[in-house]
Amino acid sequence: MHKSRTSHNLALLFLACGVLLFSAGCAQKVRTNVSGTSDVSFSVSEGADNEFEPEELVEIPELPSDDGVPLSLPERIALHSTGELDMHLTPEQKKQVELHFKYYLHKNRAGFERYLQRAEGYLPYVRQVFREMGVPEEVAGLAIVESGFNPNAVSRAGATGMWQFMRYTGQRYGLAQNYWLDERRDPFKSTVAAANYLLQLHEYFGDWHLAIAAYNGGEGKISRAMQRTGAEDFFELCRLNNSINERKMRLKPETQQYVPRFLAVTKIMRNLELLGFDAPDPAKGYQVTAVKVGPGADLGALARNAGVRGEFFRTLNPAYRRSISPVSGNSTAYIPVDNAAKAVAWLARPESRSFAGWQQYKVRKGDSLYAISSRYGVTVATLRQANNLKGNTLRQGAMLMVPGGKGAAPAAKSATSGNKAQGKQTASKNVSGGSKSASKSGNPIHTVRRGENLYQIAQSYGVSLSSLQAANNMSASDSFVLAGQKLVIPAGKSSAQASKNKTVYVVQKGDTLYSLAQKNKISLDELVRVNGLKRNKPLMPGQQLLIP
């Protein structure tokens, strides 16, 4: 340890005897200058699911054993410090937190230092989003528990990204997942999705400990366990867990230790310097501009023409699964603010969408590059270049990008010309917000409220999701909306009928599909059909339903 840091920590130690110490970093975003040549190397050949392999899985024992090492004075001060989420812990509860606290400080200290280094670019943005949306800033530490701030982390169960969204939950909160994209890996969109999910959980349970437990175990599991035990808080629920007769209804050990583990992280995060860690520097937080990428753009060329190093482009854009942007719709790429103008200018050029109108082809038994090239009227050299192939060998089941041939040429041309016109209107926006331009046709405008997603908004106006996306110049994969964003509501028969024959009901705590059907004297089947729901899908407070 350096002498200056030792002196600084001693000063903090003396101060801590009389006052509560906090060391949460400033959430202000500062520009990051990134320049250099592109070294992006993607691969769409051989049917790879994703070129971005998870760096590591952040997994620790369900309940770490006590290492027997006494806490030092700084560690005791940090453990007994309190914030919004750990203010009233009993000695027994604090003992549970201490086991995880010691694990991170002693056995896994090197790992925790790695998480802090990785968090440096994302933490200011996460704290800003949480602060603006009403989530306690200390909940940002949940990303350490989930993934160690690793956007490419994948769990054994398939949870993916910095916030470890499962496939269905990610879709529910607007994160597209397809051959081209997995927005659960998008550190910016997934942070907003996580904030929305946490807010809905807190609104449902009325308690942050229970909301955080439900983030891990599922709202249904926590809700049913609360009903069976009559518990009023998380720690009481854990104490009464074994009283639940049905074994499958009990909380898993992982969920029981999830909240103590998170609370240990909050205590460490607010006392980083006291505990000898290098706190993330807010000045190194990524400041980026979200730019709209048209169909079929060469992402390596985008990075190169924007002057962004390929490695850093991948760090900012792990959601892309291929070297080409989705060929049938727009997507979002994040570019450092100082490079955004170059990116937007290049994306406005027709040649940026050289793969628009292309399609996927699954290699069949007996296929060869020559046979495929003949079938689609394209040279073998073009197929090799588009798919980063060095030889002629193809694996059965692999996915190739191929032009559509003569029949697809008009589609490609249309996509290119359409995006050329669109590119002239494209303006960069900061990832913290932005809105579409309002319609001049007189169609109603909806201002997105906190917690809403496109699917709910479409339901509330009785229009299809696809028509809502089309009215707002959004692609099928572009489902990201922010509170305060304005959406044009498409006019039409369905919208008029919805306003005339249906009412919009906002789900309250305790509501079920069955109780709402009874209350409104309609059949359960009708309620499910009108809202496009499944019978066994739980309702969330704030969700909007159409009532015939």
Side-chain angles (χ1 to χ4, degrees), residues 161-232:
M162 195 161 74
W163 295 101
Q164 290 289 279
F165 276 100
M166 294 295 288
R167 179 170 293 278
Y168 169 75
T169 311
Q171 291 171 343
R172 180 175 156 194
Y173 286 90
L175 301 177
Q177 299 153 62
N178 53 49
Y179 177 82
W180 302 98
L181 293 167
D182 188 345
E183 290 184 337
R184 293 176 296 173
R185 296 175 185 256
D186 183 324
F188 306 106
K189 286 187 180 181
S190 68
T191 293
V192 177
N196 274 318
Y197 188 24
L198 286 162
L199 284 170
Q200 290 201 351
L201 291 171
H202 181 259
E203 186 175 356
Y204 183 79
F205 291 104
D207 176 273
W208 278 113
H209 289 175
L210 289 171
I212 289 168
Y215 191 91
N216 172 261
E219 56 264 40
K221 188 69 170 282
I222 300 299
S223 181
R224 288 188 293 271
M226 295 284 288
Q227 292 173 359
R228 281 167 171 74
T229 60
E232 295 184 356

Side-chain angles (χ1 to χ4, degrees), residues 29-194:
K29 285 188 171 185
V30 182
R31 292 187 175 189
T32 300
N33 294 318
V34 180
S35 60
T37 59
S38 170
D39 57 357
V40 179
S41 177
F42 299 92
S43 175
V44 297
S45 61
E46 295 304 311
D49 287 336
N50 197 323
E51 68 175 288
F52 298 110
E53 295 299 328
E55 297 173 17
E56 61 185 298
L57 295 180
V58 181
E59 296 181 357
I60 67 174
E62 292 171 348
L63 181 61
S65 57
D66 194 326
D67 59 12
V69 178
L71 292 176
S72 65
L73 179 57
E75 290 172 342
R76 291 201 303 274
I77 292 171
L79 179 64
H80 292 291
S81 69
T82 57
E84 182 178 352
L85 302 178
D86 58 348
M87 190 173 295
H88 303 295
L89 299 182
T90 66
E92 179 62 30
Q93 293 164 3
K94 194 172 293 184
K95 194 67 180 176
Q96 296 180 48
V97 174
E98 183 179 348
L99 291 175
H100 297 280
F101 181 81
K102 293 178 74 173
Y103 172 82
Y104 281 125
L105 291 182
H106 300 166
K107 185 176 181 180
N108 196 35
R109 186 179 184 91
F112 202 88
E113 289 174 340
R114 213 164 47 245
Y115 309 153
L116 291 174
Q117 291 171 3
R118 193 186 289 133
E120 192 163 52
Y122 305 115
L123 192 56
Y125 175 76
V126 174
R127 283 175 169 159
Q128 176 183 325
V129 168
F130 280 17
R131 182 174 64 252
E132 291 176 353
M133 294 183 68
V135 179
E137 286 187 45
E138 286 193 322
V139 180
L142 198 63
I144 287 181
V145 178
E146 286 290 335
S147 69
F149 273 94
N150 181 3
N152 294 312
V154 179
S155 76
R156 293 190 181 97
T160 299
M162 195 161 74
W163 295 101
Q164 290 289 279
F165 276 100
M166 294 295 288
R167 179 170 293 278
Y168 169 75
T169 311
Q171 291 171 343
R172 180 175 156 194
Y173 286 90
L175 301 177
Q177 299 153 62
N178 53 49
Y179 177 82
W180 302 98
L181 293 167
D182 188 345
E183 290 184 337
R184 293 176 296 173
R185 296 175 185 256
D186 183 324
F188 306 106
K189 286 187 180 181
S190 68
T191 293
V192 177

Side-chain angles (χ1 to χ4, degrees), residues 364-505:
R364 295 176 292 204
K365 185 176 181 180
D367 274 340
S368 67
L369 278 178
Y370 178 76
I372 296 171
S373 68
S374 299
R375 187 179 309 154
Y376 287 91
V378 63
T379 66
V380 171
T382 300
L383 285 177
R384 282 204 193 102
Q385 180 183 5
N387 294 280
N388 292 339
L389 297 175
K390 295 182 179 179
N392 295 321
T393 304
L394 294 178
R395 181 175 59 83
Q396 183 178 344
M399 301 298 294
L400 294 180
M401 284 297 303
V402 298
K406 295 180 180 179
K413 184 177 181 181
S414 174
T416 303
S417 61
N419 280 279
K420 182 178 180 181
Q422 189 181 62
K424 294 179 181 179
Q425 301 171 10
T426 300
S428 61
K429 62 178 181 179
N430 190 278
V431 294
S432 61
S435 63
K436 305 290 183 183
S437 53
S439 171
K440 298 179 181 179
S441 63
N443 289 352
I445 302 294
H446 176 85
T447 302
V448 178
R449 293 187 291 270
R450 193 173 71 185
E452 285 187 323
N453 59 46
L454 274 181
Y455 180 71
Q456 292 172 330
I457 296 168
Q459 278 188 316
S460 67
Y461 284 95
V463 299
S464 68
L465 177 60
S466 59
S467 65
L468 181 60
Q469 289 171 323
N472 290 277
N473 198 26
M474 302 168 76
S475 69
S477 64
D478 192 0
S479 52
F480 179 54
V481 290
L482 286 172
Q485 184 173 336
K486 297 186 184 302
L487 297 175
V488 178
I489 305 302
K493 185 177 180 181
S494 59
S495 181
Q497 285 180 337
S499 60
K500 182 177 181 180
N501 301 321
K502 300 181 181 71
T503 58
V504 178
Y505 176 78

